[in-house]
Amino acid sequence: PAFTATDRRALHSVAAQFWVNGVVFASFVPRLPEIKDRIEVGLATLGLLLTLGSLGGLVGSSLCGRLIERFGTRRVMLGGATGLVLTLPLVGLATTPAFFLVTVMSMHLFDVLTDVAMNMQGSWLSGRRSTPVMHRLHGLWSVGTVVGGLLASRLASGTVSLQTHLLVVSACLLATLLYVAPGLLRWDEIPRPIGPSPIHASGDNCPATSQRRVLLLLAILAFGAVVVEIITSDWAALRLSEDLSASASVAALGYVAFTSGMVMGRFSGDWATARIGAQRLTKLAIVTAGIGLAAATLVPGSVG
């Protein structure tokens, strides 16, 4: 179908939501060393709290499909984003491990609802264009993390309190929602039936079993990617502050460095795939990420 003016407005709304979602999580992750001291826990306990907090995302993932089927992507996305508006300031108010855990779990839950819904709308809009935009939408999320991370790094020096910082970010998210809400697609696309899969056409008598194996492999790869991303994002500031004795503002730049790499990767991904091919690019990316992770772990200096 033709890409209409309504679709263009919807794409702008989805793009704005991608960007602001990146800003939201980049606002408190670089300040984790400060939060750790505020709730008076050790590094191991903080790691446990963050791990348990991610269970909120699993709950959101299990509920998201049913909620979208019943309420549609627009309502689920706006509901999840509203939840982020309400819970983000609470992270700055946490003074006990239990309260911090509840707020992080809630943020993960609402973030998953927002993330899935905005990706679905972005995918439909991308499919209507002659040139896909999904890679660039995710690039905007990464740009948001860089902006939010740089701001958090600047404020981590003590010029602005954590509570005020997160309250202002929450207000900016609310203002963005006022722009996003009117422009979103109001009707979801109905999934189109597809023909026989290549597996079935080749004579495989159990295409469903083969497809489940592929899905399992993709799930394992996704789990590995998430582990690498969490280690290098959530723990970058703690590595710099706890192990390398960097100041709060310098430690926060570890998160910015990681997200800056994501920006470069996402905005150059389409070009790199076309030039060297998806398979070679995947292998090269895995090797590069492994070298970077090893260096971040072993290099005994904050600059390295």
Side-chain angles (χ1 to χ4, degrees):
F3 197 75
T4 65
T6 301
D7 292 338
R8 190 173 297 106
R9 173 65 174 87
L11 182 59
H12 292 164
S13 292
V14 173
Q17 189 62 46
F18 266 91
W19 182 82
V20 79
N21 262 40
V23 174
V24 167
F25 264 86
S27 297
F28 84 92
V29 171
R31 302 192 72 165
L32 280 174
E34 180 180 347
I35 294 174
K36 178 180 74 70
D37 295 337
R38 182 178 176 82
I39 61 178
E40 298 181 345
V41 297
L43 199 59
T45 303
L46 179 64
L48 178 61
L49 293 174
L50 291 173
T51 302
L52 293 176
S54 64
L55 294 178
L58 292 178
V59 174
S61 298
S62 63
L63 296 176
C64 198
R66 297 177 184 177
L67 291 175
I68 288 176
E69 286 182 353
R70 181 170 182 179
F71 300 107
T73 53
R74 181 177 182 271
R75 290 182 179 179
V76 171
M77 178 176 161
L78 294 177
T82 302
L84 287 175
V85 169
L86 298 176
T87 54
L88 179 61
L90 298 180
V91 176
L93 297 176
T95 56
T96 64
F99 189 78
F100 175 72
L101 175 61
V102 171
T103 57
V104 172
M105 289 186 70
S106 300
M107 283 196 64
H108 276 288
L109 188 151
F110 290 127
D111 179 66
V112 164
L113 298 180
T114 307
D115 189 60
V116 172
M118 71 184 186
N119 270 280
M120 290 181 70
Q121 289 221 359
S123 177
W124 295 328
L125 292 165
S126 180
R128 299 178 190 180
R129 289 170 48 91
S130 58
T131 304
V133 294
M134 281 303 296
H135 211 101
R136 281 172 283 176
L137 287 176
H138 284 270
L140 282 175
W141 183 91
S142 296
V143 171
T145 63
V146 173
V147 172
L150 286 173
L151 180 62
S153 173
R154 175 65 177 171
L155 300 181
S157 60
T159 55
V160 177
S161 69
L162 176 65
Q163 298 93 320
T164 302
H165 172 200
L166 297 185
L167 185 62
V168 171
V169 173
S170 182
C172 292
L173 173 58
L174 180 60
T176 304
L177 282 180
L178 297 178
Y179 168 78
V180 167
L184 292 173
L185 295 175
R186 296 180 179 272
W187 294 276
D188 293 348
E189 287 191 5
I190 300 175
R192 295 186 295 271
I194 59 176
S197 67
I199 297 175
H200 184 71
S202 65
D204 195 325
N205 293 325
C206 301
T209 301
S210 298
Q211 290 173 358
R212 281 195 293 269
R213 291 173 181 171
V214 173
L215 289 175
L216 178 60
L217 177 60
L218 290 174
I220 294 173
L221 292 174
F223 178 80
V226 168
V227 170
V228 172
E229 182 173 339
I230 289 176
I231 290 175
T232 48
S233 60
D234 291 13
W235 290 92
L238 294 165
R239 160 71 171 155
L240 286 166
S241 62
E242 296 291 325
D243 298 337
L244 304 177
S245 301
S247 64
S249 58
V250 172
L253 290 176
Y255 181 81
V256 176
F258 171 74
T259 54
S260 296
M262 291 182 68
V263 170
M264 291 186 287
R266 285 176 166 171
F267 280 111
S268 63
D270 292 330
W271 174 85
T273 301
R275 289 294 298 270
I276 66 176
Q279 187 174 8
R280 291 179 62 189
L281 178 61
T282 300
K283 295 178 180 178
L284 178 62
I286 291 174
V287 172
T288 303
I291 293 174
L293 187 60
T297 304
L298 301 175
V299 171
S302 58
V303 177

